[in-house]
Amino acid sequence: MSRLLLLEDDQSLIYGLSFSFKKQGFNADIARTISEALDLWAKNEYELLILDVSLPDGSGFEFCRKVRENSDVPIIFLTASDEETSVIMGLDIGGDDYITKPFKLSILISRINALLRRTEKYKYTSQEVESNGIKIHLLEGIAYKNGHALDLTGGEYKLLCFLMENTNIVLSKDQILEKLWDVNGNYIDNNSVTVYIRRLRVKIEDNPSQPKMIQTIRGLGYKWNVYC
């Protein structure tokens, strides 16, 4: 049974989500403030976090930053705003997914299951992938550049794996969306892929403004280019 942490202060939403989580077989702890969430986080282990952005004592972004100091647990943001700046901020600080209120519970459940499946898949893989000075230990879930561990979020790590496992193959945004979230693009903005690509380039490219590893193929998508 997967254990989740829900950080949300809307009682009516808490009630609906709690019922759905229990029906799906999830064990969910509820926090209504960042303070409560920090206390639960310190005492328990979770497979996935669901964080509201607007809270009585701050923002879910603050809690995400704290978690990312020592964990790559999957994180889904719940936000009342679909503005690009808000979405980009959530992804940039380490969020793996976001969903805009109001939303259908079935969609949120699908997104949770997708992230959990994705995490389990990489947890038990025992291969290594290497090129361009980048080496991924898939069993450990760690990527290295020239022998130094890269500080990647869960989403960035999985995007890097997907690109490197498909060397010199052009991958469309839709293919990347389906691979990373296990759902079709109807629920997730294609801009999310652009954000992840930009974030990953900053962390692995010698010159992110002139990328050599992750190449943009105009009108088609992206590909991992092997040059050494």
Side-chain angles (χ1 to χ4, degrees), residues 14-218:
I14 290 173
Y15 178 81
L17 290 176
S18 297
F19 177 80
S20 295
F21 291 159
K22 185 175 182 179
K23 186 176 180 181
Q24 293 295 318
F26 298 136
N27 181 10
D29 289 340
I30 309 297
R32 294 169 177 79
T33 64
I34 294 175
S35 178
E36 291 179 4
L38 288 172
D39 185 55
L40 288 169
W41 175 251
K43 297 176 181 177
N44 304 288
E45 293 186 2
Y46 297 99
E47 279 71 48
L48 185 141
L49 311 182
I50 304 161
L51 312 179
D52 188 17
V53 172
S54 299
L55 296 158
D57 57 344
S59 167
F61 293 155
E62 298 172 28
F63 183 65
C64 176
R65 290 189 182 96
K66 190 69 176 178
V67 168
R68 284 291 178 251
E69 291 177 2
N70 54 26
S71 174
D72 62 355
V73 62
I75 293 176
I76 298 177
F77 282 113
L78 303 181
T79 174
S81 171
D82 61 356
E83 292 183 1
E84 183 177 352
T85 53
S86 178
V87 172
I88 290 175
M89 179 180 292
L91 296 176
D92 275 346
I93 63 175
D96 294 281
D97 201 353
Y98 69 92
I99 188 165
T100 305
K101 299 178 182 179
F103 55 84
K104 293 183 178 179
L105 291 177
S106 60
I107 293 177
L108 176 59
I109 296 299
S110 294
R111 306 274 273 274
I112 290 172
N113 284 327
L115 278 172
L116 291 174
R117 284 196 303 270
R118 198 176 75 188
T119 302
E120 285 299 307
K121 175 182 177 181
Y122 286 99
K123 184 177 179 180
Y124 296 107
T125 303
S126 58
Q127 300 177 356
E128 292 185 355
V129 182
E130 183 175 11
S131 64
N132 300 337
I134 304 295
K135 186 173 185 179
I136 303 176
H137 292 267
L138 294 169
L139 180 61
E140 300 173 7
I142 302 175
Y144 298 85
K145 179 178 179 180
N146 299 325
H148 299 284
L150 292 166
D151 183 18
L152 303 178
T153 66
E156 292 164 356
Y157 170 78
K158 293 170 183 73
L159 174 58
L160 179 61
C161 290
F162 188 41
L163 290 168
M164 291 184 66
E165 288 171 343
N166 291 276
T167 295
N168 291 322
I169 296 175
V170 179
L171 301 171
S172 69
K173 286 187 176 182
D174 285 343
Q175 286 177 303
I176 294 173
L177 284 173
E178 291 171 5
K179 182 66 176 181
L180 296 189
W181 284 278
D182 288 352
V183 295
N184 61 47
N186 293 332
Y187 300 143
I188 303 175
D189 195 321
N190 278 346
N191 286 335
S192 299
V193 173
T194 303
V195 171
Y196 270 92
I197 291 290
R198 176 172 60 83
R199 278 173 28 185
L200 186 56
R201 280 173 171 162
V202 168
K203 294 184 178 182
I204 69 171
E205 298 277 3
D206 292 330
N207 184 355
S209 62
Q210 296 181 341
K212 295 176 64 178
M213 301 184 203
I214 305 176
Q215 294 190 334
T216 299
I217 309 302
R218 191 174 297 277

